[in-house]
Amino acid sequence: MSQTRDLQGGKAFGLLKAQQEDRLDEINKQFLDDPKYSSDEDLPSKLEAFKKKYMEFDLNGDGDIDIMALKRMLEKLGVPKTHLELKKLIREVSSSSGETFSYSDFLKMMLGKKSAILKMFYSYIRPLLHSNEELQRHAATWMNLLSVMLSKRR
């Protein structure tokens, strides 16, 4: 008789997050093995930080950030965007033609050359550093991530 586990609530969510983290760790390993990024001595710590932030906004664990997750992220940072602006942001980052971007897309954006989207995020987040305490924490986290990327190619 085969046993199947009916995970519910916290257990199911914990399992989903563990599986998600394993998938993202595999992608991180690909980036660590890629000679294109081998000169970056802080790469392991950057990838770990990027993974944690990505997991924070990929709530359903499907591996992609969709337009609603991006909307929540920017609203949390105090920079709400219109639906059309969000679609443009995703289109710039995504390697597919859909309305989502993957973790690989996210890493390429964060580790690659400066792009318009990063400049836009950077310009939105910088003023938040002078607003209320909670917004400062969120803005500082994203500012650090973006500063790492922006300074990498200077």
Side-chain angles (χ1 to χ4, degrees), residues 16-31:
L16 175 70
K17 283 300 185 183
Q19 291 169 343
Q20 177 189 30
E21 187 167 10
D22 290 343
R23 285 191 309 271
L24 298 184
D25 283 336
E26 282 299 314
I27 295 169
N28 280 354
K29 184 175 178 343
Q30 292 170 7
F31 276 78

Side-chain angles (χ1 to χ4, degrees), residues 118-143:
L118 290 177
K119 290 177 187 173
M120 187 165 29
F121 273 143
Y122 191 79
S123 68
Y124 290 145
I125 292 170
R126 180 175 229 130
L128 295 177
L129 292 175
H130 303 291
S131 51
N132 77 42
E133 200 172 299
E134 184 177 347
L135 284 176
Q136 287 176 358
R137 282 195 306 275
H138 292 301
T141 300
W142 279 98
M143 190 75 156

Side-chain angles (χ1 to χ4, degrees), residues 48-83:
E48 189 62 28
F50 294 154
K51 177 182 76 174
K52 287 179 181 174
K53 272 296 144 194
Y54 193 85
M55 286 179 67
E56 185 179 328
F57 292 103
D58 180 17
L59 297 178
N60 64 5
D62 70 355
D64 291 332
I65 299 289
D66 63 12
I67 199 161
M68 291 310 294
L70 182 60
K71 178 180 175 57
R72 280 190 302 276
M73 175 182 71
L74 293 174
E75 285 174 349
K76 195 173 185 180
L77 293 171
V79 286
K81 296 283 132 213
T82 67
H83 189 75

Side-chain angles (χ1 to χ4, degrees), residues 106-120:
F106 178 73
L107 289 179
K108 287 174 189 170
M109 174 186 73
M110 296 305 290
L111 297 170
K113 294 180 181 178
K114 288 187 234 176
S115 69
I117 190 168
L118 290 177
K119 290 177 187 173
M120 187 165 29

